Amino acid sequence: MNNSVVEEKNIFVNVEVDSFEELIPLISVNLLKSEDVDDNFVDRVLDRERNFPTGLPTEPISVAIPHAYPENVNNNKIVIATLKKPILMKEMGGDSDDNLNVSVVFLLAFNDSNKHLNILQNIVELIKNQDTVNKIFNGDEKTILSAVNKYF
């Protein structure tokens, strides 16, 4: 078993999808295969996003940090996806009509709330660094892994 939170197999580059609902099943496939999450994970992420949006209005590249609930997670993991074209998502804490064009997604799978909060803090630090966000958005799997390693 790999104890690393971010693994190259969970980094997806230039994903071509039209919606969040199409993205999450696609980028969750390795989490499901390795049983890092349970069979309800995808549906729970989609449900949670409808009720508690996770889009962040970072400039110039908007980011989202969707996640499910701890009971759907067996092993703590982060999936990173860069999108070939942005998808429309709701802004975290925004009004119902506050939409963002999201191009980078950090899908969080955590069963420990303390670890989850620490990771969220690290992601906030990461997205404050526009150079790092640009490396992620423009990078291949190895470049992305290298760019995020110091944060996770």
Side-chain angles (χ1 to χ4, degrees):
M1 180 178 92
N2 188 335
N3 289 325
S4 177
V5 175
V6 181
E7 300 174 73
E8 194 171 328
K9 71 177 184 175
N10 289 325
I11 297 174
F12 297 82
V13 175
N14 285 329
V15 178
E16 290 189 61
V17 294
D18 293 320
S19 69
F20 181 76
E21 293 76 16
E22 189 180 348
L23 175 68
I24 295 305
L26 182 69
I27 66 173
S28 298
V29 67
N30 290 331
L31 295 177
L32 290 160
K33 277 184 192 171
S34 57
E35 297 182 359
D36 291 318
V37 297
D38 69 20
D39 291 338
N40 296 317
F41 179 79
V42 169
D43 288 336
R44 295 296 302 247
V45 170
L46 296 174
D47 288 344
R48 192 177 190 296
E49 188 67 28
R50 278 189 281 276
N51 295 314
F52 304 102
T54 62
L56 299 171
T58 51
E59 292 292 337
I61 300 167
S62 291
V63 171
I65 50 171
H67 45 283
Y69 296 93
E71 60 267 21
N72 302 111
V73 178
N74 299 319
N75 299 305
N76 297 326
K77 297 291 176 186
I78 298 173
V79 177
I80 301 170
T82 63
L83 307 179
K84 189 164 191 139
K85 62 180 188 204
I87 56 173
L88 203 59
M89 292 184 68
K90 300 284 184 199
E91 183 178 336
M92 181 186 295
D95 293 329
S96 60
D97 59 349
D98 288 341
N99 292 314
L100 300 170
N101 287 311
V102 170
S103 296
V104 176
V105 174
F106 293 88
L107 174 59
L108 308 182
F110 284 88
N111 58 16
D112 175 330
S113 59
N114 289 332
K115 183 82 169 161
H116 181 88
L117 288 174
N118 289 340
I119 291 296
L120 284 174
Q121 290 172 338
N122 290 350
I123 288 175
V124 168
E125 287 305 309
L126 182 156
I127 62 178
K128 284 181 186 175
N129 183 333
Q130 198 55 53
D131 287 340
T132 302
V133 175
N134 283 328
K135 282 181 188 170
I136 293 168
F137 181 67
N138 294 307
D140 62 11
E141 292 87 345
K142 289 186 184 333
T143 302
I144 293 170
L145 191 59
S146 175
V148 302
N149 262 343
K150 72 177 184 179
Y151 295 94
F152 312 116

